[in-house]
Amino acid sequence: MVAHLLRLKLRLLGNGFKRSPWQLVGVIIGGLYALGIVVMLSLAGWFTAEQSDLRGWIAILAGSVIVLGWAVIPPLITGVDLTLEPQRFVHFGIDEKTLARGLILAGFISIPAALTLLAALGFSTIWRLDPAVLVVGLLCALGTWLMAMFACQYLTIVATALRGKRRFRELSFALVFLLLVGLGPIFSTIGSNADSIVEVLKPITSVLGYTPLGAFAAVPGALAAGEMGMTAIYAVLALVYLIGLYFLLTGATGKATVTPPAAQRASTAKGLGFFKLTPATPAGAVAARALTYWFKDPRYALSVIMVPMLPVIFYFAGGSTGSYTMMLLLGPMIGILMGFAISADVSYDNTAFALHVLTGVSGKADRLGRVMACFVLVIVPLILAAVLPASLTGQPWRIPGDLGLSLGAFLIALGVSSIASARYTYAVPLPGDNPMKTPPGSGARVVVTQLATFGIMGVLLIPTLVPYVTGWVLHSTLAGYITLAVGLVTGSLMLFLGIRIGGKTMDQRAPELMQSVMINR
Amino acid sequence: MNSMALEIRNLAKQFGDKVAVNNVSLQVPSGSFYGLVGPNGAGKTTMLSMATGLLRPDQGSALVNGVDIWAAPHDAKATLGVLADGVRQFDRLTGRQLVTYAGLLRGMDREEVATRTEDLLRVMDLGADGDKLVVDYSAGMTKKISLATAMIHSPKLLVLDEPFEAVDPVSAANIRDILNDYVSFGGTVIVSSHVMDLVQRMCSHVAVIDGGMLKASGSVDEVRDGMSLEDRFVDLVGGRGTSEGLSWLRTS
């Protein structure tokens, strides 16, 4: 039975590559990148081996990061490959214990897991000076890896149970996302206040050694330092944690295999919402639908969160370097990013796009509606982001230029996106999926399309950038006004052309677009 | 009024080296209730997708009420309502919003859309669920709301791919009443289905499609030729196994 499940998992992994050559390219690029990291880590381990006073806590830190990473990132953010989700086995009368064991083992078979194991073993070269410690170090690396796998699987099951409630799912993305975005500023603040990183981390690591996160990783350090008592304590703790976690996991897996998925509580919305506010035209309807999605669909909601988050990040980044120049670029950044946000619109619609094809709505109305929604949502924050930094820092001469570049960037981005989304689709998270999850191997195509889109926006922005930079250097308000004029004129022109060309493209290619979104479902 | 609600001329589609639809021609008279039957993978959905503008054919054309859907898509789609199989809906909208959306996309005015949306929700038994998000609907409710989006602009031709799949018997009966009523006032309906019994009772005409080819078409009585439609279908399509198949399944 266990062997069966392992073979099934291997087969699934293999078949995943067969789906498209692009996918394989993506996986290979990703794999090479990850292998690079593994080699780097191994080298890092090798060269820190002589730092006898540091290596102990570095090892604990590395081990803890591995376990914590596996415990948090897959269950909450990227989502786990749930092809072997325990609940799928509800219908098979397989003995719970056997099934649990098989599923746990099958969970080890994944590319990230293999790479993590390699990295953990490679990093053990930090103990290369003493062969006996090295052997223990390698064993403990294996232990750390097992702990990481168990923790990941256990928390995934717990999270899956909680996720039955869609609200929880959507909230958890937002929270984790905010936390991640906020981590940088928090660390940079702590870092600039402490005398050295070591002083911050040392007490943390000594605590981590007693927790499931770092217990295994702490063993070789204590052994190398000759502290036999501590070695024994760490080793016993580590084994107890691992065995305890294993029992928790088998219990939870077994239970999940016999528990049907929890029912969801339906959510409601009163009345027609945005459909009442927008004009009763096809374009207006598309705008209302898009606005609803901006708020209801977590894939868009992430972009919405970016708007208030960017200033915060820039502010803290400015705080740690002492220069707030970046804040002046907020407007253009928000403009480009939010304009870019609609460039994958049709990919996000997925096969629901069929409604647009079947109703024969004109490409122009479709493009215009999506632009209107984004415009209405962004324009006020955009103007604030363009005007406030300059006026708050007492440089009012900058305002026209900032405003010009921000509006120009936004309008151009909207125009380019209107064409891009009518022409190119790529694999994006499906409606209702975890928005952070990128479909495997979509990498290469997404990167090429997005880079090209950004590149074209950049080129089209050059006429506006020239007077902007001139104004910045010369402190010239006149150049600022020129920026404003050029930005508005080129921006409006590009938006007009974008909607026209994009609309025409969509009219011609609607069935082809439809087929390309059918593939990704 | 055009005498043919849908005229399919030599439609063909090939995916890689698999021929999905092989040169099919079919005429659906106005005012008929036309059933399209065939085994799984016969090419029903592919053919309907090509006839409704969702999939570009390799060859051939489809005329909706006399207008070529590939030459003048906008005009053809104005008189056509489609329930496509295997596509999502904009399911973050509520049922009421979704139907409204479909109406507005067609360029109808707001009051008309509002009245018809309420009517459609009522006859689909979705009145109480109009404010629920479509993502929380059951499979059958999703079918019904999709059907409503296909009917809001009072099309002359309704093309329904598997409309009764997952729909409960009461709702199915209600939908049948609506469709019968629609046909008796001059509308034309094409339904694809696996349920022969249903097609035999409900439809005036039927076409049998298998392996991408049209096996038979005409009025139900012509096609079934004295047999039950189910027997005739099995006859045409073949592939019935012998009853010796699973001797070990006999429990006694």
Side-chain angles (χ1 to χ4, degrees):
Chain A
M1 191 65 232
V2 173
H4 235 80
L5 285 169
L6 292 182
R7 263 206 302 279
L8 172 63
K9 177 78 187 195
L10 272 174
R11 170 66 56 82
L12 283 167
L13 195 65
N15 286 356
F17 297 143
K18 282 191 195 154
R19 277 185 65 187
S20 88
W22 276 108
Q23 199 151 10
L24 197 57
V25 171
V27 169
I28 290 174
I29 293 177
L32 284 178
Y33 178 72
L35 268 182
I37 293 180
V38 168
V39 171
M40 293 269 291
L41 275 175
S42 308
L43 287 178
W46 185 273
F47 286 113
T48 31
E50 274 143 39
Q51 309 275 341
S52 55
D53 53 332
L54 289 181
R55 59 186 183 180
W57 68 262
I58 288 182
I60 296 180
L61 198 64
S64 306
V65 167
I66 290 179
V67 179
L68 190 66
W70 273 89
V72 173
I73 296 171
L76 283 184
I77 305 170
T78 55
V80 189
D81 171 18
L82 285 182
T83 37
L84 287 193
E85 200 176 355
Q87 283 175 348
R88 295 206 176 181
F89 293 86
V90 167
H91 303 294
F92 296 90
I94 306 168
D95 175 51
E96 258 179 55
K97 286 227 173 67
T98 324
L99 182 59
R101 221 166 6 191
L103 288 177
I104 292 167
L105 279 176
F108 292 175
I109 302 180
S110 78
I111 296 176
L115 288 169
T116 307
L117 181 60
L118 281 180
L121 291 176
F123 194 71
S124 302
T125 50
I126 199 168
W127 308 114
R128 74 191 153 89
L129 296 184
D130 183 340
V133 181
L134 179 60
V135 171
V136 173
L138 286 172
L139 283 176
C140 287
L142 192 65
T144 302
W145 180 74
L146 281 175
M147 192 83 89
M149 296 297 120
F150 288 170
C152 171
Q153 294 192 16
Y154 179 64
L155 290 174
T156 303
I157 293 174
V158 173
T160 311
L162 281 175
R163 261 177 213 190
K165 302 172 182 78
R166 188 151 38 76
R167 269 283 141 221
F168 167 82
R169 196 164 60 202
E170 285 162 11
L171 258 179
S172 76
F173 303 138
L175 278 179
V176 171
F177 183 73
L178 284 176
L179 194 71
L180 283 183
V181 174
L183 269 184
I186 292 168
F187 274 126
S188 73
T189 319
I190 295 175
S192 56
N193 291 336
D195 291 333
S196 73
I197 290 189
V198 181
E199 268 174 49
V200 182
L201 291 180
K202 255 192 173 160
I204 298 178
T205 51
S206 57
V207 175
L208 284 175
Y210 295 104
T211 67
L213 299 178
F216 270 113
V219 176
L223 184 66
E227 297 166 3
M228 286 309 158
M230 287 310 289
T231 312
I233 291 176
Y234 285 137
V236 169
L237 271 179
L239 286 174
V240 168
Y241 288 139
L242 190 66
I243 293 168
L245 197 53
Y246 178 78
F247 278 115
L248 270 181
L249 179 58
T250 42
T253 311
K255 215 169 118 199
T257 52
V258 291
T259 317
Q264 300 197 357
R265 196 174 52 84
S267 45
T268 59
K270 263 265 166 276
L272 289 175
F274 289 113
F275 287 92
K276 237 196 276 179
L277 305 174
T278 56
T281 59
V286 174
R289 202 275 304 163
L291 276 173
T292 314
Y293 267 58
W294 277 96
F295 288 104
K296 286 252 169 74
D297 188 330
R299 297 171 303 166
Y300 286 100
L302 284 181
S303 299
V304 177
I305 294 174
M306 282 307 289
V307 175
M309 280 315 291
L310 266 184
V312 176
I313 300 172
F314 278 26
Y315 180 78
F316 277 103
S320 57
T321 57
S323 142
Y324 290 95
T325 321
M326 287 283 278
M327 294 293 279
L328 293 168
L329 292 175
L330 261 181
M333 288 282 285
I334 291 181
I336 286 261
L337 284 179
M338 296 309 285
F340 179 75
I342 60 167
S343 71
D345 247 26
V346 174
S347 307
Y348 277 158
D349 288 354
N350 201 262
T351 51
F353 183 66
L355 187 65
H356 287 209
V357 182
L358 289 172
T359 51
V361 63
S362 76
K364 211 177 88 189
D366 175 281
R367 304 288 93 189
L368 184 62
R370 294 174 197 267
V371 167
M372 269 162 50
C374 186
F375 188 85
V376 167
L377 211 64
V378 175
I379 189 67
V380 173
L382 181 71
I383 290 177
L384 287 180
V387 173
L388 283 183
S391 49
L392 289 183
T393 52
Q395 309 174 73
W397 59 270
R398 282 183 186 276
I399 293 176
D402 286 349
L403 205 54
L405 187 65
S406 305
L407 291 173
F410 183 45
L411 295 175
I412 287 174
L414 284 177
V416 174
S417 296
S418 294
I419 300 177
S421 90
R423 183 66 191 77
Y424 300 101
T425 58
Y426 40 82
V428 294
L430 297 177
D433 258 5
N434 187 330
M436 298 299 224
K437 181 163 113 194
T438 30
S442 58
R445 191 181 159 96
V446 177
V447 170
V448 170
T449 318
Q450 295 192 341
L451 275 184
T453 315
F454 268 124
I456 291 169
M457 288 176 192
V459 171
L460 293 175
L461 203 51
I462 288 176
T464 320
L465 274 171
V466 173
Y468 179 77
V469 175
T470 318
W472 183 301
V473 175
L474 298 178
H475 288 212
S476 151
T477 315
L478 177 65
Y481 278 111
I482 297 176
T483 313
L484 183 58
V486 175
L488 280 179
V489 170
T490 54
S492 314
L493 187 69
M494 292 308 156
L495 181 56
F496 175 74
L497 286 177
I499 290 174
R500 253 193 99 127
I501 299 173
K504 224 175 208 151
T505 314
M506 199 191 116
D507 284 336
Q508 284 161 1
R509 287 181 34 90
E512 279 73 24
L513 272 178
M514 187 59 217
Q515 289 312 301
S516 66
V517 291
M518 293 277 278
I519 295 169
N520 173 35
R521 59 172 172 166
Chain B
M1 189 171 152
N2 210 285
S3 63
M4 287 299 157
L6 178 67
E7 192 169 353
I8 289 174
R9 293 181 181 161
N10 306 99
L11 275 184
K13 183 75 194 179
Q14 196 167 353
F15 295 111
D17 33 279
K18 184 181 181 295
V19 180
V21 172
N22 191 354
N23 211 10
V24 170
S25 297
L26 182 69
Q27 296 192 322
V28 178
S30 289
S32 61
F33 202 135
Y34 214 109
L36 184 63
V37 297
N40 296 323
K44 299 187 299 282
T45 296
T46 309
M47 195 186 84
L48 291 180
S49 297
M50 290 192 288
T52 54
L54 280 178
L55 175 67
R56 197 183 297 280
D58 292 343
Q59 146 206 321
S61 56
L63 276 65
V64 176
N65 298 308
V67 184
D68 187 336
I69 196 163
W70 291 103
H74 192 77
D75 296 340
K77 285 169 185 172
T79 59
L80 171 67
V82 182
L83 170 69
D85 189 35
V87 303
R88 289 168 193 273
Q89 287 294 351
F90 285 104
D91 55 16
R92 301 270 157 166
L93 301 181
T94 64
R96 180 170 282 117
Q97 287 172 339
L98 183 63
V99 180
T100 307
Y101 185 42
L104 293 175
L105 277 183
R106 299 259 184 194
M108 299 164 61
D109 72 69
R110 201 192 292 272
E111 285 72 35
E112 189 73 53
V113 171
T115 335
R116 290 190 187 181
T117 301
E118 294 313 316
D119 286 346
L120 283 166
L121 288 175
R122 183 172 44 78
V123 297
M124 298 289 174
D125 295 323
L126 290 173
D129 301 308
D131 285 336
K132 263 195 213 158
L133 297 194
V134 175
V135 70
D136 293 325
Y137 278 16
S138 70
M141 289 161 77
T142 311
K143 276 276 184 219
K144 290 195 285 181
I145 204 77
S146 307
L147 190 57
T149 64
M151 297 173 74
I152 181 126
H153 59 301
S154 65
K156 287 190 193 150
L157 169 63
L158 268 178
V159 176
L160 311 175
D161 198 353
E162 299 286 357
F164 299 109
E165 206 181 43
V167 175
D168 66 87
V170 176
S171 298
N174 287 346
I175 293 174
R176 271 206 308 280
D177 286 346
I178 297 166
L179 294 178
N180 281 327
D181 206 41
Y182 171 76
V183 169
S184 67
F185 284 99
T188 312
V189 177
I190 302 176
V191 290
S192 79
S193 180
H194 295 292
V195 189
M196 298 300 143
D197 209 35
L198 192 92
V199 172
Q200 184 174 347
R201 266 188 298 136
M202 192 171 65
C203 297
S204 61
H205 292 65
V206 67
V208 181
I209 181 170
D210 180 35
M213 299 208 269
L214 193 66
K215 295 284 182 189
S217 67
S219 72
V220 171
D221 289 334
E222 273 166 35
V223 170
R224 69 191 176 98
D225 200 16
M227 299 191 237
S228 81
L229 187 61
E230 183 152 0
D231 291 340
R232 178 73 181 127
F233 174 78
V234 172
D235 226 33
L236 281 166
V237 171
R240 279 280 282 131
T242 49
S243 58
E244 289 160 34
L246 301 175
S247 55
W248 43 262
L249 196 57
R250 294 165 197 160
T251 46
S252 58

